[in-house]
Amino acid sequence: MVIIKAEPEPLPIDLARTALIIIDMQRDFLEPGGFGETLGNDVSLLARAVGPCRKVLDAARAAGMLIIHTREGHRPDLTDAPIAKVERGKPSMRIGAPGPMGRILIRGEAGHDIIPELYPVHGEPVIDKPGKGAFYATDLDALLRNFGIQYLLVCGVTTEVCVNTSVREANDRGYRCVVLADCCASYFPEFHEMGLAMIKAQGAIFGWVSSAQHLLEILPAQKMVLTA
Ligand code: C5J
């Protein structure tokens, strides 16, 4: 066990039972012309998470850790998209509409894919999720249990939406989640702060909050020998 500096308190973690999960670092959320921008957001606000995420990703790869990427999106025929989601709000383009990066939030389109800086490499599972939570209607839980994972290091966007929803789902399933604050971002900086505050409140009611630097301090520079 190693101890990661975190709030509300340092957490002992077993790195052999830990996975890094990077939530929805997709062009549709981070680049102009995607889903995030159609909702009226300034997508440049999410860029701050990319550099810290990349450092963590490189270090986790070097350490031989299980790395999972998620993508929010839907089937091209929209059969997995609730009408209540498609009709929500007043976006300039709805889910499924043709945009500059292909159809908005549709699997297989350029906008749906992960940004080049954090692109998955061979062997890193990608979970396609129709909802905000990474466990809803996916095989993520089965995959984590097959690998004996008990701890999740969580990065991604947006802090208060898909990161928070996924952490809450993971917490209910018995995983200990450590959210790396600088590896997450929101279109609303105040929601980012509150999203993190809600996770760590009441003695880590949903999980712990740490940082890329604190993780790098405890990750081995060489591949771990993982035991079943
Ligand atoms: C949103 C997400 N914000 N990945 N999705 O709709 O947080």
Side-chain angles (χ1 to χ4, degrees):
M1 299 289 264
V2 291
I3 296 182
I4 185 164
K5 290 180 197 147
E7 292 178 339
E9 62 199 358
L11 177 71
I13 60 176
D14 179 353
L15 290 175
R17 303 244 174 270
T18 300
L20 171 67
I21 181 161
I22 304 183
I23 307 279
D24 299 1
M25 291 298 275
Q26 296 163 252
R27 299 182 64 194
D28 252 321
F29 293 108
L30 284 114
E31 294 187 12
F35 183 58
E37 194 176 71
T38 72
L39 293 169
N41 297 306
D42 173 2
V43 294
S44 71
L45 288 165
L46 302 192
R48 67 189 65 182
V50 176
C53 261
R54 180 62 209 240
K55 280 191 192 150
V56 163
L57 181 58
D58 287 346
R61 281 175 178 159
M65 186 174 275
L66 175 66
I67 296 164
I68 295 169
H69 306 258
T70 73
R71 299 185 295 201
E72 180 181 346
H74 296 281
R75 295 170 182 255
D77 62 6
L78 293 180
T79 47
D80 63 349
I83 193 75
K85 179 177 181 182
V86 176
E87 288 184 343
R88 190 78 49 92
K90 294 193 172 26
S92 57
M93 287 177 285
R94 292 208 182 271
I95 295 170
M101 294 191 288
R103 294 177 65 204
I104 299 292
L105 220 58
I106 297 297
R107 294 179 191 161
E109 303 287 346
H112 175 262
D113 215 347
I114 292 170
I115 59 169
E117 298 92 321
L118 302 174
Y119 210 77
V121 297
H122 181 72
E124 294 175 357
V126 178
I127 303 285
D128 279 322
K129 61 189 189 60
K132 305 304 181 194
F135 290 83
Y136 170 67
T138 74
D139 58 2
L140 176 59
D141 192 43
L143 191 152
L144 294 174
R145 290 190 195 283
N146 287 342
F147 278 90
I149 297 299
Q150 297 173 1
Y151 303 83
L152 294 176
L153 304 166
V154 188
C155 301
V157 296
T158 61
T159 316
E160 80 282 11
V161 184
C162 290
V163 171
N164 240 274
T165 307
S166 300
V167 165
R168 290 168 189 229
E169 288 181 327
N171 181 59
D172 278 346
R173 286 164 176 78
Y175 299 98
R176 295 179 184 87
C177 295
V178 181
V179 179
L180 304 177
D182 49 342
C183 299
C184 300
S186 170
Y187 303 120
F188 305 91
E190 68 276 25
F191 291 175
H192 171 78
E193 294 306 327
M194 288 313 297
L196 298 173
M198 284 186 230
I199 285 167
K200 68 186 178 188
Q202 304 179 71
I205 196 138
F206 297 122
W208 289 255
V209 175
S210 188
S211 68
Q213 182 54 39
H214 290 333
L215 177 66
L216 297 183
E217 284 163 13
I218 57 153
L219 272 191
Q222 280 158 14
K223 286 203 189 314
M224 297 176 285
V225 179
L226 305 181
T227 51

